Structures are given as C-alpha cells and as structure tokens.
Amino acid sequence: MRKKVVAGNWKMNLDLSQGADLATGINKHFMAEPLNGKEVILCTPYIHLSIVSSLLSAPGLTAGAQNCSEHKSGAYTGEVSAAMIRSTGASSVIIGHSERRTYYGENDALLASKTAEALRNGLRVIFCCGEVLSEREGNIHFDIVKRQLEQGLFILSEEDFRKCIIAYEPVWAIGTGVTASPAQAQEMHHYIRGLVREKYGKNASDDTTILYGGSCKASNAAELFANHDVDGGLIGGASLVQDEFCNIVKAL
Ligand code: PGA
C-alpha cells in the first residue's frame, strides 16, 4: 500500500533548544489530532536527532537525518555514519538533496553508495531528484530525473527499493517561492512512476510513495497533493513553523 507522507527538512536551521521546542509542539499536535495512517518525518540536523527522536511519541511521527556518510566507520573527520543515525532512534535519511548535489559535489555514484549504506543500516531513504531551471527550459528535465533515478536508486533490488521514498524537487522551486504547478508536478510524478514500473513492475510502482518538494506551503499543498501521483511533500522553509507545517499535513 502506498503511504502518504510529509517530511520536514529543517536544513541548517534552529539551535538545539529551538529544535526541541518545535518537535515538542508538533508531537503535541499529532497526539491531539492523530495521523491516522499518514506519516510525518522530521529531518533535523544530526545533533538534534537524539533528542528529537526521544521527544516524538505520536503514532506515525518519526525523525530522520538529511544526509549520511557512504562509509561504515573510520577516519572520516566530520562525517556521520548511517549506523550512528540509526542509533539515535531516527529511522529515515534524505539522500541526494539538490543542495548536497550542488554545494558538496555529490554525484550519482556517491549517492548510490550512500543509499546502499543507509539501507544496510535499516534506514528508510528519501531519495531526491529534480532538474535545474536551464534543464527544464532545455526540455531535458525528464532525461535528468531518469538519469538520477537510474544511477542513484535503480541499482537496488526490489526488496531494498521498496524501503525508499522518492522526492521530486525541481531545483528552481526550492526556496524560491516559485512552486511547480499542480500539472507540472503530476506530469513528472506520473513519469517517475512509469520508470519505477518499467524497472520493478506494477505492484512496486503502485506502492511507491513519491513526494513533491519546492516552495510547498499550507496555501498550495492541497492542490499539489490532490494529484493522483503526488503522495505528499518534502517541506523546507515551511517545516520550521509549527502551524504552517501541521496545516500542510492536514492538506494531505
Ligand atoms: P523549500 O525546500 O520548501 O524551502 O522550497 C524544499 C526542500 O529543499 O526540501
């Protein structure tokens, strides 16, 4: 069964006490208004994970990281392993966010290694893909997303692939206030689901959760989520404000 999911990506925002306050508030909200089968994942900075995980008790509400090392352990100063993330109580990790691809040079091969390492350690992967503006204008956005998925994710067995969520995030929509139109989102999500069907078959593609990300907020979430192939959102800026974030979840 395809899951409905909203994931918040806090990025490099909120100090520890601010993060704990936000997590406490969101938990309280979903204790009072149960998620009823929907899932909400708070993807926090590494140092918040342990405390945030311990603060979340509402059914369906869990914590996740925003990145992980491709290595198991060892002399990799400044890195955090998938096993460490798992040990905090977090159960998910974002892999391949466009900011990691762009600012930290993370390429498809590296992301495939990170994905494999995350899965080996029992983490669920939220795998991001999406084109930049010039690629959309050049009408190669489908090719770009196809390459990112084929090289980063479709190397997995079906069993492992089923532990992943795909997030389509057009880079031109991230943090810009420009959202993909519901039709643009549906068109790409439908295309992605078709790629999954070709690779893993109809059952797997029917079961795959595909999130939209990029300037999604409470005021536009409902029209994006209304599309058949849009199963929720990956939310950046709007995940930092409790009411706004909870209203996005409500729109699902
Ligand atoms: P945004 O970010 O909602 O602030 O556009 C989305 C993301 O980067 O995941």
Side-chain angles (χ1 to χ4, degrees):
M1 249 277 286
R2 200 188 300 178
K3 291 226 161 95
K4 300 272 183 194
V5 177
V6 172
N9 176 9
W10 291 4
K11 308 193 180 182
M12 197 174 72
N13 294 295
L14 307 178
D15 69 19
L16 190 55
S17 76
Q18 291 167 329
D21 286 350
L22 179 58
T24 302
I26 290 172
N27 187 63
K28 215 182 220 170
H29 178 94
F30 292 120
M31 288 298 279
E33 284 186 34
L35 284 163
N36 289 331
K38 290 187 273 193
E39 283 190 52
V40 172
I41 307 167
L42 305 183
C43 297
T44 79
Y46 290 133
I47 62 147
H48 296 55
L49 280 177
S50 178
I51 185 149
V52 166
S53 294
S54 72
L55 289 168
L56 304 182
S57 55
L61 179 61
T62 55
Q66 301 168 14
N67 178 33
C68 73
S69 173
E70 71 277 26
H71 300 294
K72 202 165 172 275
S73 64
Y76 300 101
T77 302
E79 287 292 276
V80 173
S81 73
M84 291 172 187
I85 292 168
R86 193 76 189 97
S87 75
T88 66
S91 48
S92 304
V93 61
I94 298 172
I95 301 282
H97 190 280
S98 69
E99 287 150 18
R100 302 288 324 167
R101 291 177 189 264
T102 307
Y103 305 146
Y104 303 98
E106 297 193 353
N107 61 26
D108 295 320
L110 177 69
L111 297 173
S113 307
K114 290 188 176 208
T115 298
E117 183 58 20
L119 291 168
R120 259 196 295 279
N121 286 281
L123 292 171
R124 181 161 55 164
V125 169
I126 303 171
F127 188 89
C128 300
C129 59
E131 80 285 357
V132 301
L133 186 59
S134 60
E135 291 163 343
R136 179 162 281 264
E137 286 172 346
N139 205 28
I140 54 168
H141 45 299
F142 293 115
D143 302 336
I144 296 296
V145 167
K146 184 174 190 216
R147 190 210 74 219
Q148 291 171 338
L149 291 174
E150 281 183 348
Q151 299 191 12
L153 202 53
F154 289 176
I155 30 101
L156 297 173
S157 66
E158 182 187 339
E159 190 189 347
D160 276 346
F161 174 78
R162 281 176 169 275
K163 296 171 193 151
C164 301
I165 291 172
I166 295 174
Y168 169 58
E169 299 204 302
V171 181
W172 45 272
I174 296 178
T176 58
V178 180
T179 316
S181 68
Q184 285 172 321
Q186 169 57 26
E187 182 185 39
M188 183 59 88
H189 283 228
H190 179 75
Y191 174 72
I192 291 171
R193 203 176 298 287
L195 295 176
V196 175
R197 191 184 314 116
E198 274 170 35
K199 172 72 188 168
Y200 295 107
K202 185 171 185 313
N203 288 347
S205 86
D206 285 347
D207 289 348
T208 301
T209 296
I210 308 177
L211 309 182
Y212 168 80
S215 298
C216 181
K217 40 190 185 273
S219 58
N220 60 24
E223 60 181 22
L224 288 160
F225 298 164
N227 291 288
H228 179 65
D229 289 301
V230 180
D231 306 309
L234 178 54
I235 317 299
S239 72
L240 299 171
V241 182
Q242 184 187 321
D243 286 352
E244 180 76 11
F245 184 65
C246 292
N247 281 332
I248 292 172
V249 177
K250 201 175 188 174
L252 190 61

